[in-house]
Amino acid sequence: MSGCGDCKGCAPKKEIPVKDVDYTIALAGNANVGKSVTFNQLTGVDQIIGNWPGKTVERAEGLLQYKGKRIRVIDLPGIYSFTTYSMEEVVSREYIALEHPDAVVNVIDASALERNLFFTIQLMELAPPLMIAVNQVDLAEKKGISIDIEKLSKLLGVPVVQTVAIRGKGIPTLTDAILDLVRDRPVPPTLEYGREVEERIKKITSMLGGVGTAYPLRWVAIKLLERDPAISRLVQEQSPAAVETADTLAREIETLHGEPVCVVMSAERYQIADRIASEVITIRTPADGAVKKSLTDKIDSIALHPYFGYLMVVAVIGGLLLWTFLIGAQISTVIADFFSQFGQYEPVIDGSLGSVLLNGAFTGLVAGLTLVIPYVLPFYLILAIIEDSGYLTRISVMLDRGMHKLGLHGKAIIPIILGYGCNVPACYSCRIMESPKQKLLSAFLVTLVPCTARTVVILGLVAAFVNIWWALALYAFDILLIIVAGRLAFKVMPGESVGLIMEMPDYHIPSLSVVLKQTWARTKSLIWLVFPAYIIGSALIQAFYWAGWLNPVNAALAPITTLWLGLPAIVGITLIFGIVRKEMTILTLAVLMGTTNFAAVLTPVQLIVLALVTMIYIPCISVILALASEFGWKKSLAITAVEVVIAVVIGGIAFRVLSLFMG
């Protein structure tokens, strides 16, 4: 998961009720080790930022939903010890010791292992279910430092995983380990200090049997030996003798070592940390040869670069769309010309009812074929190749921060990209989102993506009769609309959002069988849903017009069509036809106007407004059915109604603005 640096602004100001979660975990560690990035990766956009009760210390918590479990994640302040009595340290130790989280994840910096283990040892003294996330291993490797993770786990007696949180690497492994830890809740083993110190700790511990405290007794004994004022006051009320004995033993240690007892205890911890670090760290010097980068690391140095990475994303997605539509347009023309030998491709709206129904079914079939074969199939085939190569996950990671602005995470870019092919499989692919809110939000935004059918309208009306730049401007405006609508919808929609958990595999040559299976999985929904909707819907809508049933609807729409949108009254009929499939807008327009030279019957402003409204105003019937099957009719119709309102409002504004300098 990628971090969301803007979550303070977009998170709801509420607490996650404990009763609504299965487990609670805490992230602990030094400052600047990537702990907050790890927190962002686990929780994504669903974060709550506030203060700890009665404290001025910032408190961050979020929700992790993984494998059916809801896990509350608390990001503790970044600290270096529990012994300097700062507010951050008090908050952290009280939470771990008194709130009893189901697990504590200690995030440490791989390139400064010894320093970080100093804090790890203190965490183990509090005895929570503990695991270690060795973060920033990529930076350590650049310095020639490698860590034996298995040996580190064995020496500490707790689970250890390695991560590169900034890139999302190792996060799924970390999350799996968290689930194992919260289920088993093992107590970490005791790391014993030197003989002089250890004997005195045990002596103090033996005197605390009658002391009632939520803190582990060994930890209380250590704190008494260190003369911790808060713990000394706590124990003084119940066992003054234990406090007095601890003070005596502390003076003995100071006499033996000639240093304050707190310095001695720090030295003891560093000695253990140094011993463990020396056993698990291997340092490669230049004499041993430079650290060799793998092919994946070399490609990722560009693909995940903060600047070149975004250029690569734009180039790949832009190239995918450009290739599909340039080649697709030519193939679509060939298919349409071939089928024109067998019947009229344009809608028939007069003659016998039988001929109208037959023509509607035929045009629906041809429309499906000219959509799927030239546009959608190549689009999904190329996308499957990109996905199986391992690069699509990098696109998700790179765009994760931007998607957080919409209340989503990077994985949502997959259905959005799919939407440029066809909105139907894109709606189904929203299942990859974890929370119901994100699924619905993704589907809503997907329906605003101009699919191939809407692209045909934009190219056929604007690019052909105005210019290509206005067509591109419509695409740019659509992207802006998706951003604004997503931001607003995120604030309005109830529910929770979670962050990105996505393993980034190594790059490899795509497998033909995997690519074909993925392409078929996305295309088959078109065969079972889009083709029947096109064929039946086209036949029925043409029959309704033939029977005169659409005239009253068109008359009712006239005030909006003519007065607000500035379009000819007859255009209302074309928009009704466009509900079945969007390209029927221009096919019906050609029939009703008696010409395919739309510039002769519509002004440039009207052409742009008609294309704009068609691009937004309603999902086609196939998409409405897909939404209903995924989210129910109520939400499907709600999305439809919202988009109709958006299209009408924006269309009317566009007509007036464009008329000022194009009229």
Side-chain angles (χ1 to χ4, degrees):
M1 255 179 269
S2 186
C4 175
D6 301 295
C7 287
K8 292 183 183 182
C10 63
K13 305 302 181 187
K14 59 180 181 180
E15 291 188 2
I16 301 172
V18 176
K19 63 182 178 61
D20 291 341
V21 299
D22 298 296
Y23 305 106
T24 297
I25 67 167
L27 302 184
N30 295 173
N32 303 315
V33 297
K35 180 173 59 64
S36 293
V37 177
T38 303
F39 173 71
N40 288 334
Q41 292 282 14
L42 292 173
T43 61
V45 297
D46 197 31
Q47 300 178 3
I48 301 166
I49 309 297
N51 288 341
W52 289 86
K55 306 288 194 300
T56 56
V57 179
E58 184 180 88
R59 171 192 176 105
E61 68 175 273
L63 183 67
L64 164 65
Q65 295 190 63
Y66 191 66
K67 293 186 177 179
K69 298 298 182 183
R70 294 166 55 83
I71 303 174
R72 183 172 175 235
V73 183
I74 307 295
D75 185 16
L76 296 175
I79 58 176
Y80 296 93
S81 72
F82 289 130
T83 56
T84 57
Y85 321 126
S86 72
M87 188 64 69
E88 287 81 2
E89 290 165 349
V90 171
V91 162
S92 295
R93 82 181 193 184
E94 286 185 354
Y95 182 80
I96 294 172
L98 304 181
E99 298 295 328
H100 302 294
D102 297 294
V104 174
V105 179
N106 178 207
V107 182
I108 66 177
D109 181 0
S111 59
L113 187 63
E114 180 182 351
R115 186 193 71 203
N116 282 254
L117 286 177
F118 176 78
F119 180 68
T120 302
I121 293 167
Q122 295 178 73
L123 272 176
M124 295 180 71
E125 291 169 357
L126 280 172
L130 181 69
M131 69 171 296
I132 311 297
V134 182
N135 190 37
Q136 302 178 159
V137 293
D138 56 333
L139 299 180
E141 288 173 355
K142 288 180 181 179
K143 299 176 182 178
I145 300 172
S146 61
I147 298 174
D148 188 333
I149 298 299
E150 292 184 3
K151 190 170 185 180
L152 179 60
S153 176
K154 184 178 180 181
L155 290 173
L156 290 174
V158 299
V160 179
V161 299
Q162 58 182 359
T163 62
V164 182
I166 195 71
R167 296 184 180 179
K169 291 187 175 181
I171 297 300
T173 303
L174 171 63
T175 313
D176 286 331
I178 288 172
L179 284 181
D180 292 337
L181 188 64
V182 295
R183 287 169 184 151
D184 301 335
R185 294 180 61 85
V187 176
T190 299
L191 296 178
E192 294 194 350
Y193 298 110
R195 182 172 56 84
E196 297 96 341
V197 172
E198 191 62 37
E199 287 178 352
R200 287 164 174 81
I201 291 174
K202 290 178 178 178
K203 185 172 183 179
I204 298 171
T205 304
S206 66
M207 300 180 66
L208 299 175
V211 175
T213 175
Y215 296 106
L217 293 184
R218 176 179 170 83
W219 182 83
V220 172
I222 292 172
K223 293 294 121 183
L224 288 175
L225 191 61
E226 292 177 333
R227 299 194 180 102
D228 182 292
I231 298 302
S232 295
R233 286 194 299 271
L234 175 67
V235 177
Q236 180 70 36
E237 297 174 357
Q238 303 180 58
S239 178
V243 176
E244 185 178 345
T245 300
D247 183 64
T248 300
L249 296 176
R251 285 197 299 271
E252 291 178 2
I253 290 177
E254 290 171 340
T255 300
L256 286 171
H257 293 272
E259 298 282 357
V261 68
C262 60
V263 174
V264 175
M265 291 302 299
S266 293
E268 290 285 326
R269 294 187 180 106
Y270 270 119
Q271 185 177 8
I272 296 175
D274 178 66
R275 174 176 56 80
I276 294 174
S278 63
E279 290 190 42
V280 300
I281 289 178
T282 301
I283 300 178
R284 293 186 296 276
T285 62
D288 299 327
V291 179
K292 188 176 180 181
K293 278 189 173 183
S294 66
L295 176 62
T296 293
D297 290 333
K298 290 178 181 178
I299 298 176
D300 276 349
S301 65
I302 299 174
L304 299 176
H305 191 275
Y307 302 108
F308 298 122
Y310 289 108
L311 293 177
M312 190 170 175
V313 169
V314 172
V316 170
I317 296 178
L320 169 63
L321 297 174
L322 194 62
W323 169 268
T324 300
F325 294 134
L326 284 179
I327 303 302
Q330 299 178 32
I331 300 174
S332 180
T333 301
V334 172
I335 295 174
D337 290 344
F338 173 76
F339 279 99
S340 65
Q341 304 174 64
F342 305 100
Q344 183 177 334
Y345 178 50
E346 294 79 13
V348 171
I349 53 179
D350 53 19
S352 66
L353 177 60
S355 64
V356 171
L357 289 171
L358 182 61
N359 172 262
F362 177 73
T363 58
L365 173 63
V366 175
L369 292 174
T370 54
L371 169 71
V372 174
I373 295 176
Y375 292 109
V376 180
L377 204 57
F379 183 88
Y380 288 158
L381 186 64
I382 298 172
L383 186 63
I385 292 172
I386 296 173
E387 183 175 14
D388 195 44
S389 71
Y391 180 62
L392 191 59
T393 55
R394 272 73 179 180
I395 294 178
S396 298
V397 170
M398 288 302 297
L399 298 181
D400 186 54
R401 182 179 294 275
M403 297 305 294
H404 282 179
K405 304 283 187 180
L406 309 181
L408 300 170
H409 54 59
K411 205 186 294 185
I413 197 63
I414 296 175
I416 288 177
I417 294 176
L418 288 173
Y420 283 97
C422 179
N423 288 177
V424 171
C427 287
Y428 287 133
S429 72
C430 292
R431 296 169 182 169
I432 66 174
M433 306 304 290
E434 287 78 5
S435 74
K437 176 179 180 177
Q438 288 181 316
K439 287 183 174 71
L440 182 61
L441 180 56
S442 299
F444 168 59
L445 298 183
V446 157
T447 60
L448 293 173
V449 174
C451 63
T452 51
R454 280 180 272 193
T455 296
V456 169
V457 176
I458 295 170
L459 297 179
L461 291 177
V462 180
F465 297 105
V466 184
N467 59 57
I468 187 63
W469 300 112
W470 275 107
L472 294 176
L474 287 179
Y475 272 102
F477 177 78
D478 186 77
I479 293 173
L480 177 62
L481 176 62
I482 289 173
I483 293 172
V484 174
R487 185 68 177 166
L488 292 175
F490 172 65
K491 292 180 176 296
V492 173
M493 285 184 182
E496 300 159 329
S497 296
V498 297
L500 175 67
I501 299 180
M502 179 179 283
E503 186 64 72
M504 290 200 294
D506 291 340
Y507 292 102
H508 60 275
I509 298 174
S511 163
L512 179 61
S513 62
V514 172
V515 167
L516 293 178
K517 287 178 181 177
Q518 186 67 277
T519 303
W520 166 247
R522 288 168 175 158
T523 309
K524 67 181 180 181
S525 62
L526 302 179
I527 297 175
W528 307 126
L529 182 60
V530 174
F531 272 81
Y534 272 21
I535 294 170
I536 298 172
S538 298
L540 289 177
I541 201 74
Q542 289 179 215
F544 290 164
Y545 183 79
W546 176 87
W549 296 348
L550 298 184
N551 292 330
V553 179
N554 188 50
L557 292 175
I560 296 175
T561 308
T562 59
L563 298 180
W564 176 248
L565 297 177
L567 299 172
I570 197 67
V571 168
I573 292 292
T574 69
L575 293 175
I576 296 172
F577 271 72
I579 296 173
V580 176
R581 58 181 205 271
K582 288 303 178 81
E583 80 280 6
M584 279 192 79
T585 303
I586 57 175
L587 293 175
T588 308
L589 185 65
V591 173
L592 296 177
M593 294 295 189
T595 179
T596 56
N597 181 14
F598 300 128
V601 293
L602 295 174
T603 67
V605 171
Q606 289 175 324
L607 288 168
I608 294 172
V609 170
L610 178 56
L612 176 62
V613 172
T614 304
M615 182 177 71
I616 303 171
Y617 79 105
I618 193 170
C620 71
I621 190 170
S622 301
V623 177
I624 295 173
L625 292 173
L627 289 171
S629 68
E630 289 293 290
F631 305 103
W633 279 106
K634 183 178 179 180
K635 292 177 180 176
S636 176
L637 295 177
I639 289 176
T640 300
V642 167
E643 292 181 3
V644 168
V645 173
I646 292 174
V648 170
V649 171
I650 291 177
I653 294 173
F655 171 70
R656 282 152 181 79
V657 172
L658 293 175
S659 296
L660 293 177
F661 60 91
M662 291 182 69

